[in-house]
Amino acid sequence: MKLLRHGAPGAERPGLLDADGTIRDLSGTIPDLAGDVLSPGGLARLRELDPTSLPALPATTRLGPPVAGTRNFVAIGLNYADHAAESGAPVPKEPIIFLKSLNTLAGPDDEVAIPPDSRKTDWEIELAVIIGTKAKNVPLESALDHVAGYAVCNDISEREWQMERGGQWTKGKSADGFGPLGPWLVTADEIPDPQDLAMWLEVDGQRRQDGSTRTMIFDVRTIVSYVSRFITLHPGDVITTGTPPGVGMGMKPPTYLKPGQEIRLGIAGLGEQRQRMIAGG
């Protein structure tokens, strides 16, 4: 299933994308895509629905983040060896964990405001993992049982704040709207191998990133198990899993985003995003 949330920012309602690509409203069936709805039983009940019985919505309907009730927005740094190389960093021996503020969560096609004192706003296409059931100290072999599905994420980053302002990554990752997610949550049963997904990103039509989840240092199973040792994960939590090479910081010379530019990005089977950069106030 492709699950989504639609409507104005802060007032999104649950929905799904049917086999014909029509957005259908689920708000008469479930309160939101959160909590027990994301569990195996909750998703099984949604699969039993006839999508054609649900109200259809216009194709122009705004999509928000495809999950609600998020408590933790966890990110994994330097999880692709070639990206670590372009960043001038050693390959990590264990997953590098940092957090993005929940105010970064945004719809897949929302405008992104560059903070007024930002000089180095950058892009990062990433595979996001959506947690479906509580995960605490979960063993490696059962880690994927806690995954409801997957989504596209753009882990937008302000590199000066991240790297040059005291070494604290979270403050370079947490400006409003710096975590576009979606367009939909694709349930795990439709993604049999999350380690074999092509991913790409373009800036103003120029391909910048062209990679695959095959080159992750730590795979999804390892990441979920590892993070659950330090942070109890709850339904609706998001883990974004790192980016392949091609970020602006790694270009020669480094190149960063400016108002008026457009980013397009996508992951095979998970859909595409499009964001226009604007000047923040």
Side-chain angles (χ1 to χ4, degrees):
M1 286 184 296
K2 293 180 173 64
L3 302 172
L4 54 89
R5 296 173 70 246
H6 61 89
E12 292 94 347
R13 295 179 295 172
L16 59 79
L17 193 75
D18 71 16
D20 296 323
T22 300
I23 299 171
R24 301 281 180 171
D25 182 37
L26 275 171
S27 61
T29 305
I30 56 173
D32 212 336
L33 293 172
D36 288 343
V37 171
L38 299 171
S39 70
L43 295 176
R45 287 187 288 274
L46 292 181
R47 289 190 190 94
E48 294 173 356
L49 296 173
D50 175 7
T52 62
S53 68
L54 302 171
L57 299 171
T60 55
T61 298
R62 175 192 173 267
L63 299 181
V67 66
T70 304
R71 300 192 196 184
N72 297 293
F73 191 175
V74 182
I76 306 299
L78 299 174
N79 195 34
Y80 288 69
D82 33 14
H83 172 57
E86 74 173 350
S87 302
V91 173
K93 296 180 180 179
E94 296 186 38
I96 296 172
I97 299 174
F98 61 94
L99 298 177
K100 289 175 74 76
S101 172
L102 295 182
N103 67 283
T104 63
L105 286 168
D109 301 327
D110 289 350
E111 292 180 331
V112 176
I114 298 175
D117 55 346
S118 167
R119 299 187 302 166
K120 298 182 179 181
T121 295
D122 204 349
W123 58 84
E124 291 192 8
I125 170 73
E126 304 201 6
L127 172 68
V129 179
I130 313 298
I131 298 299
T133 56
K134 182 179 177 180
K136 181 176 182 178
N137 293 319
V138 299
L140 188 66
E141 58 270 19
S142 62
L144 294 184
D145 295 343
H146 296 272
V147 174
Y150 303 93
V152 180
C153 181
N154 190 356
D155 177 23
I156 301 172
S157 310
E158 212 300 341
R159 299 302 188 188
E160 181 185 11
W161 301 356
Q162 177 188 357
M163 314 290 262
E164 302 170 37
R165 301 287 295 275
Q168 224 302 333
W169 285 19
T170 294
K171 66 188 173 189
K173 300 280 191 169
S174 292
D176 290 351
F178 267 28
L181 190 68
W184 33 74
L185 183 166
V186 180
T187 51
D189 60 300
E190 293 197 9
I191 307 296
D193 185 2
Q195 305 309 144
D196 190 22
L197 301 175
M199 53 205 309
W200 57 271
L201 181 145
E202 297 176 351
V203 179
D204 289 340
Q206 299 295 313
R207 187 63 61 101
R208 298 301 187 202
Q209 292 185 272
D210 208 345
S212 170
T213 58
R214 289 192 302 271
T215 64
M216 280 185 184
I217 298 167
F218 304 104
D219 62 14
V220 171
R221 185 189 308 271
T222 299
I223 289 168
V224 173
S225 175
Y226 185 87
V227 171
S228 78
R229 299 183 204 172
F230 307 98
I231 301 170
T232 299
L233 299 168
H234 298 270
D237 282 357
V238 178
I239 306 175
T240 191
T241 58
T243 196
V247 299
M249 177 178 63
M251 297 178 68
K252 300 187 184 303
T255 302
Y256 298 107
L257 293 163
K258 297 177 175 60
Q261 290 190 298
E262 183 178 87
I263 308 174
R264 291 183 61 240
L265 59 152
I267 298 178
L270 300 181
E272 298 183 10
Q273 299 184 356
R274 182 191 300 262
Q275 294 113 30
R276 187 171 71 90
M277 309 304 294
I278 62 172

